[in-house]
């Protein structure tokens, strides 16, 4: 698992803003080659590594900058840069060089919290609360409510994730089950739990005459799936029955990718090592240890 984390960190040190073992990236491919070598070293003879283009275009941010340039208590020269701001999925882009606007806080962005608000020309700070299941959180529907225009049209949205200790979260603002293109309505980025609390405390002291002003710069593009080569590594271990049990783990992941999904890759490798040591007569069924690429994409 540590090897996989180290591969992810290589992408960060190479300057990737959205870093990790992303699908179709050189870092996912490096992880697959390492897994292939590990399987071969276990004495498995039917080991394969198949390459294929990524099935979906992938959002690749090139700029995710968020800076507070004015706030109560700030001097003329003081600025605060959110160094870990990240736009993890497709977004509208700001003008080159970014935009500057006052920031307003709308809580969870419920209809009750938005009632009577004028978001026109504002950057909106939206609380994103995680719910049961990794893909569901309040910001998915709240973002749509905020950008629909009923309360005025904001120029940007900041999602403040409620994940304790997390500085970056690869979260979507599109509807569950897909719909990532909703993020193209208004430029958006996201910040971690402590960073969001800091920004909200600045807003607690803001007045109409002394607002919090921020600069937001989001740039990026969708890369064709044909330009991103992914793949699968797998080993086939026969058993007595002639039938096979497939044990899959996906290799790609955002950021460190430890729990999602390096730990499962490590477990699958440990299973492969264990069963490879057993004689055929002790394996009732065959096993296929499958290490998948191209997983973290919309619709998969």
């Amino acid at each position: 698992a540590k090897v996989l984390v180290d591969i992810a960190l290589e992408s960060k040190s190479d300057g990737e803003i959205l870093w990790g073992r992303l699908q179709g990236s050189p870092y996912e491919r490096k992880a697959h080659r390492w897994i292939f070598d590990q399987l071969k070293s276990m004495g498995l003879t039917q080991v394969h590594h198949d390459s294929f283009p990524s099935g979906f275009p992938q959002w690749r941010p090139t700029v995710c900058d968020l800076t507070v340039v004015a706030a109560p208590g700030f001097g003329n020269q003081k600025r605060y840069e959110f160094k870990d701001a990240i736009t993890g999925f497709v977004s509208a882009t700001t003008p080159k060089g970014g935009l500057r606007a006052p920031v307003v806080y709308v809580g969870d962005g419920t209809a009750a919290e938005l009632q009577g608000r004028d978001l026109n020309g504002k950057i909106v700070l939206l609380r994103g609360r995680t719910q049961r299941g990794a893909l569901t959180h309040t910001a998915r529907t709240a973002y749509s409510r905020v950008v629909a225009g009923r309360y005025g049209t904001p120029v940007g949205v900041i999602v403040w994730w409620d994940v304790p200790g997390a500085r970056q979260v690869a979260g979507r603002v599109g509807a569950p089950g897909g719909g990532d293109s909703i993020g193209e309505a208004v430029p958006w980025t996201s910040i971690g739990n402590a960073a969001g609390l800091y920004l909200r405390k600045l807003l607690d002291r803001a007045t109409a005459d002394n607002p919090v002003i921020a600069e937001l710069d989001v740039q990026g593009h969708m890369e064709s799936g044909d330009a991103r080569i992914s793949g699968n590594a797998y080993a086939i271990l026969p058993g007595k029955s002639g039938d096979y049990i497939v044990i899959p783990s996906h290799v790609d992941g955002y950021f460190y990718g430890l729990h999602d999904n390096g730990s499962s890759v490590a477990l699958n490798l440990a299973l492969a090592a264990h069963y490879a040591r057993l004689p055929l007569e002790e394996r009732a069924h065959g096993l296929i240890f499958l290490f998948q690429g191209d997983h973290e994409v919309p619709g998969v």
Side-chain angles (χ1 to χ4, degrees):
K2 183 180 183 305
V3 172
L4 294 169
V5 168
D6 287 344
I7 292 172
L9 285 169
E10 280 184 36
S11 75
K12 187 177 185 181
S13 65
D14 288 345
E16 292 289 341
I17 294 175
L18 187 59
W19 55 278
R21 299 182 304 276
L22 269 65
Q23 59 272 23
S25 72
Y27 312 98
E28 183 199 52
R29 294 195 293 275
K30 183 172 182 177
H32 271 126
R33 289 193 297 271
W34 177 78
I35 291 165
F36 177 87
D37 291 341
Q38 291 296 302
L39 293 169
K40 294 284 283 187
S41 72
M42 296 170 189
L44 292 158
T45 57
Q46 298 185 56
V47 182
H48 306 268
H49 181 201
D50 299 338
S51 298
F52 53 82
S54 180
F56 291 83
Q58 167 70 31
W59 166 251
R60 188 170 187 176
T62 53
V63 177
C64 295
D65 289 344
L66 176 65
T67 305
V68 175
V69 297
F74 276 34
N76 289 336
Q77 301 303 316
K78 182 169 181 180
R79 297 165 67 91
Y80 184 86
E81 180 184 353
F82 293 88
K83 296 184 182 298
D84 294 313
I86 189 68
T87 305
F89 288 87
V90 61
S91 170
T93 56
T94 62
K96 293 291 177 66
L99 56 83
R100 179 179 290 203
V103 183
V104 295
Y105 179 47
V106 298
D108 292 351
T110 64
E113 289 167 304
L114 292 172
Q115 185 105 21
R117 303 296 296 270
D118 179 11
L119 308 181
N120 204 45
K122 308 291 198 311
I123 296 174
V124 171
L125 176 62
L126 173 67
R127 189 69 155 134
R129 300 189 188 274
T130 52
Q131 299 171 325
R132 292 185 179 182
L135 298 179
T136 56
H137 53 78
T138 59
R140 297 196 96 165
T141 51
Y143 172 90
S144 299
R145 192 179 295 117
V146 164
V147 303
R150 182 176 178 183
Y151 309 98
T153 304
V155 295
V157 172
I158 305 164
V159 179
W160 163 22
W161 298 115
D162 73 342
V163 183
R167 295 199 303 268
Q168 293 184 307
V169 175
R172 291 174 161 95
V173 295
D180 285 349
S181 60
I182 292 171
E184 295 178 300
V186 167
W188 66 276
T189 195
S190 65
I191 55 179
N193 197 50
L197 180 60
Y198 172 76
L199 181 54
R200 200 219 67 200
K201 286 183 174 181
L202 290 180
L203 290 165
D204 285 345
R205 299 196 295 268
T207 64
D209 296 329
N210 196 3
V212 174
I213 306 292
E215 290 180 349
L216 175 66
D217 191 357
V218 177
Q219 308 295 329
H221 58 274
M222 296 296 286
E223 277 191 338
S224 165
D226 292 336
R228 302 176 70 90
I229 302 301
S230 185
N232 293 323
Y234 55 100
I236 301 171
L237 188 63
K240 290 194 298 181
S241 71
D243 295 328
Y244 286 86
I245 298 168
V246 180
I247 307 176
S249 302
H250 72 85
V251 175
D252 54 325
Y254 291 96
F255 308 129
Y256 298 99
L258 177 57
H259 301 301
D260 186 10
N261 195 33
S263 56
S264 294
V265 170
L267 176 59
N268 207 352
L269 285 170
L271 288 170
H274 170 74
Y275 284 105
R277 288 192 292 266
L278 298 181
L280 176 67
E281 56 270 17
E282 292 185 28
R283 297 194 300 266
H285 304 292
L287 294 159
I288 299 175
F289 306 98
L290 172 62
F291 301 86
Q292 305 156 247
D294 205 34
H295 164 269
E296 296 281 6
V297 290
V300 175

